[in-house]
Amino acid sequence: MPQRVHFAQPLTLKSGAVLPGFELTFETYGTLNGEHSNAVLVCHALSGSHHVAGQYADDPENIGWWDNLVGPGKPLDTRKFFVVGVNNLGGCHGSTGPLSVNPETGKRYGADFPMVTVEDWVAAQARLADHLGIHTWAAVIGGSLGGMQALAWSLQFPDRIRHAMVIASAPKLSAQNIAFNEVARQAIISDPDFHGGYYADHGIIPTRGLRLARMVGHITYLSDSQMAEKFGRQLRHGEHKFSYDVDFEIESYLRYQGNKFAGFFDANTYLMMTKALDYFDPAYEYDGSLAAALARAKASFFVASFSTDWRFAPVRSREIVFALLHNRLHVVYAEIDCDAGHDSFLLDDGHYHALLAAYLENIVV
Amino acid sequence: MTEHERRVRAEQRERFDFAVIASWIPPGERVLDLGCGDGRLLRYLSETRDVSGYGVEIDHESVLGCIRNGVDVIQMDIECGLSGFEDNSFDHVVISQALQTMRATERILTEMLRVAAEAVVSFPNFAYRTNRVAIAEGHMPVSEDLPYDWFDTPNVRFFTIFDFEDLCSRLGIEIRERLAFDETGREVSHDPNLNGSLAFYRLGRKF
């Protein structure tokens, strides 16, 4: 079941803004051992949450987003590890975010919620670790934006993470990555229901913008070949309708995904998360040298990429690997053949899970 | 030979190969192993010589084997060279019985001596006596060190001790040491191109 913890101490964010206090919503699985040496933090990507595994008694449909990874007998085995999932700061699944009430105004933050970055998430997660009595994570694991948090942990708290598992990720976004994010943001911002971010005060949601943003995002999560295989040019009505309603099945799929997302995700959170992605660049303060940025890291790394992932292609993971090599850090790097594009990291591909299981099994707790 | 005997023999043979390579690797070195398989050699070197090393491997199952063996491994295709690996970032680069499975022989050899001051190479000598006999009798050789039928061999380059040394000289590669062994694992000094089944080289840069 989800738990909540309040942190009264102000948090200074990377932008310089100060959050007077905040709450995090989290879930745990398994048992923390006596030495507190078996804790694993699972970091979520754009649309994930603290609900990593399992289902709730009163909501059996709501299965954790990485349920195929986490559980007894699964690669991240909860008989061995104490697994923690947390909704990131600024999220919309229970942690303090734009939908929360600003104690200073008594109204919802909306656009006033300060911009948070990957580093700020890690700082907030460290507070949660303190709260749980975890000094050092056995591992921090995440895919995509979650992988960036694992990488950031190794830089911000080198002594508090033994293994960083960075999957389908990148050391920074490319211009193309940022471009897709900007299209998504403009879709939301230009929705008349957005009201400059204060839509909650108007009792409305910028549904059209969110829907579009998700549609664009979803295209980048899938591979061309998988889309061709799954949808091809299949027609909804068996013939061309010569209209702007759904003709092709792929249109139907994207609309479905967009609608689903707009029904549960907060627009301000989405904007902020895409910005957190854009800003992430540990090498920025080191003249663009990732090798120099990683000099402080001490963790052992598991890095994996997927052959058909064009959002964060294998070459982006290799940048991380060679920067680790430069610093003589332990690293295993696997390039996995999987047809499902960026979203491969969420699937239970046999070889992928065998790699994860083998690596996690060797972690001493 | 039974399957068990064959396996024991292969393991003895492997230990022997590893021991030869280890004898050229001073303790505590940084080693890169190209075509590292499941990481057995690196594991051996780290256990016996306290070496810190990385393997490079393209095969999925082998990469999984490395992870199970607790060996650092990078999955990539070295046919495209070793770009990404910095100059002189290792003490030794090893390619143990894998050079013959790669097409870009020249590039791999020069790249090895870019990322390390010394390279260790081992390969099966195609001009070994029993191989010559097989050819003379009209068949592609199958032997202890060339254990594949022609139709399922992973090998794509077939060369001899003479050929290899010619190429080294052409590439400005210095041969610092050579050892050759026959099929029983006995060291061969006389006419190694005829009597040597497996050849080991310690190579350096002249350039």
Side-chain angles (χ1 to χ4, degrees):
Chain A
M1 285 307 283
Q3 307 171 55
R4 283 175 76 101
V5 55
H6 178 80
F7 298 98
Q9 185 138 17
L11 181 69
T12 303
L13 303 170
K14 201 177 176 189
S15 66
V18 177
L19 213 51
F22 62 94
E23 286 189 9
L24 291 180
T25 296
F26 65 99
E27 278 180 27
T28 69
Y29 319 87
T31 310
L32 189 62
N33 65 11
E35 297 78 37
H36 294 200
S37 62
N38 68 334
V40 174
L41 175 66
V42 178
C43 302
H44 68 76
L46 253 169
S47 62
S49 71
H50 54 280
H51 186 36
V52 176
Q55 56 211 83
Y56 306 124
D58 59 350
D59 185 11
E61 301 282 291
N62 185 5
I63 298 166
W65 60 271
W66 218 350
D67 187 70
N68 62 30
L69 181 84
V70 180
K74 293 178 183 175
L76 185 44
D77 195 333
T78 47
R79 294 171 305 191
K80 174 181 178 181
F81 293 109
F82 176 64
V83 179
V84 179
V86 58
N87 182 213
N88 279 331
L89 191 58
C92 53
H93 293 94
S95 294
T96 301
L99 286 176
S100 307
V101 173
N102 181 346
E104 282 170 20
T105 63
K107 296 208 298 187
R108 291 172 188 270
Y109 277 105
D112 293 335
F113 195 84
M115 191 86 78
V116 294
T117 62
V118 170
E119 289 80 5
D120 298 327
W121 287 335
V122 169
Q125 290 160 358
R127 295 255 187 112
L128 177 63
D130 295 339
H131 168 74
L132 294 171
I134 297 160
H135 177 267
T136 306
W137 298 103
V140 178
I141 181 171
S144 191
L145 179 55
M148 292 173 178
Q149 292 160 60
L151 180 59
W153 258 99
S154 75
L155 305 178
Q156 256 167 282
F157 299 102
D159 294 312
R160 299 191 68 177
I161 167 174
R162 291 196 284 131
H163 295 269
M165 302 180 72
V166 181
I167 303 163
S169 195
K172 61 174 185 272
L173 261 57
S174 67
Q176 189 192 47
N177 294 146
I178 295 171
F180 276 112
N181 280 346
E182 175 60 3
V183 172
R185 283 191 294 267
Q186 286 304 321
I188 292 169
I189 290 169
S190 62
D191 184 330
D193 291 338
F194 182 64
H195 294 288
Y198 298 103
Y199 45 87
D201 296 342
H202 294 78
I204 204 163
I205 293 169
T207 310
R208 285 165 293 180
L210 262 173
R211 197 187 290 149
L212 272 177
R214 185 59 169 178
M215 286 168 82
V216 154
H218 223 87
I219 296 167
T220 70
Y221 304 150
L222 304 179
S223 71
D224 188 23
S225 60
Q226 183 201 28
M227 247 194 221
E229 193 188 314
K230 216 167 161 181
F231 305 104
R233 294 180 54 86
Q234 284 169 51
L235 296 169
R236 171 42 67 90
H237 305 290
E239 59 178 352
H240 293 173
K241 284 289 184 188
F242 302 101
S243 82
Y244 296 112
D245 286 335
V246 168
D247 251 349
F248 297 95
E249 286 292 354
I250 181 64
E251 297 172 319
S252 164
Y253 173 79
L254 286 177
R255 289 182 192 197
Y256 169 77
Q257 291 293 344
N259 283 333
K260 195 172 82 170
F261 190 71
F264 78 89
F265 211 85
D266 178 56
N268 282 316
T269 292
Y270 195 85
L271 291 176
M272 201 188 61
M273 291 222 173
T274 61
K275 272 306 223 191
L277 271 163
D278 292 0
Y279 287 133
F280 182 70
D281 180 9
Y284 183 69
E285 281 148 40
Y286 294 85
D287 287 333
S289 166
L290 186 63
L294 289 184
R296 58 194 304 162
K298 294 178 182 171
S300 298
F301 280 75
F302 173 98
V303 181
S305 66
F306 297 92
S307 54
T308 56
D309 183 355
W310 57 277
R311 183 184 173 95
F312 294 145
V315 65
R316 311 304 316 283
S317 283
R318 262 179 252 140
E319 291 172 32
I320 300 172
V321 169
F322 286 117
L324 294 169
L325 216 58
H326 176 87
N327 289 294
R328 307 188 168 197
L329 290 161
H330 287 293
V331 56
V332 301
Y333 170 61
E335 236 171 81
I336 299 154
D337 273 337
C338 186
D339 197 36
H342 185 58
D343 267 354
S344 297
F345 83 88
L346 291 168
L347 305 182
D348 61 350
D349 172 83
H351 180 64
Y352 167 45
H353 269 206
L355 294 168
L356 288 169
Y359 189 83
L360 286 160
E361 203 173 308
N362 280 345
I363 293 180
V364 179
V365 297
Chain B
M1 257 198 293
T2 67
E3 190 54 41
H4 177 69
E5 282 168 340
R6 218 187 308 276
R7 210 170 47 237
V8 170
R9 180 104 178 78
E11 275 168 23
Q12 284 170 347
R13 185 77 184 176
E14 182 182 84
R15 286 282 142 177
F16 170 77
D17 293 350
F18 289 1
V20 172
I21 293 168
S23 72
W24 285 339
I25 312 276
E29 277 203 351
R30 264 170 73 76
V31 173
L32 184 66
D33 183 7
L34 303 180
C36 66
D38 67 4
R40 261 185 265 189
L41 172 61
L42 279 169
R43 193 175 175 156
Y44 176 86
L45 290 173
S46 81
E47 282 167 3
T48 60
R49 314 291 283 175
D50 192 28
V51 150
S52 68
Y54 297 86
V56 178
E57 180 55 63
I58 189 171
D59 177 66
H60 296 291
E61 283 310 308
S62 297
V63 169
L64 177 58
C66 285
I67 294 176
R68 289 201 173 118
N69 279 324
V71 167
D72 286 341
V73 64
I74 296 155
Q75 187 168 20
M76 61 180 273
D77 183 3
I78 58 173
E79 290 279 15
C80 315
L82 297 174
S83 61
F85 291 95
E86 294 166 357
D87 294 359
N88 295 310
S89 50
F90 289 89
D91 299 309
H92 272 100
V93 183
V94 177
I95 187 161
S96 166
Q97 300 194 50
L99 189 63
Q100 77 276 6
T101 66
M102 291 160 197
R103 290 180 184 283
T105 319
E106 290 175 67
R107 182 193 297 158
I108 289 162
L109 284 171
T110 44
E111 281 280 271
M112 286 174 79
L113 287 167
R114 176 180 67 77
V115 303
E118 267 199 358
V120 171
V121 175
S122 72
F123 62 85
N125 173 33
F126 202 72
Y128 179 52
R129 186 188 307 273
T130 63
N131 299 341
R132 296 190 195 193
V133 170
I135 294 279
E137 288 174 352
H139 290 286
M140 286 298 280
V142 178
S143 68
E144 184 96 26
D145 295 308
L146 284 167
Y148 302 99
D149 283 307
W150 64 272
F151 49 84
D152 72 348
T153 178
N155 299 333
V156 296
R157 295 278 183 254
F158 300 92
F159 51 98
T160 70
I161 284 178
F162 283 172
D163 295 330
F164 183 72
E165 294 185 3
D166 283 348
L167 181 62
C168 287
S169 127
R170 213 150 55 73
L171 296 175
I173 292 170
E174 179 185 50
I175 294 169
R176 295 185 176 163
E177 215 167 329
R178 182 194 66 210
L179 291 170
F181 300 88
D182 67 15
E183 266 181 304
T184 67
R186 208 173 28 231
E187 192 178 336
V188 168
S189 49
H190 175 67
D191 198 355
N193 200 42
L194 177 66
N195 297 314
S197 175
L198 199 59
F200 292 79
Y201 285 85
R202 195 161 64 79
L203 306 171
R205 270 171 258 181
K206 270 191 269 183
F207 47 90

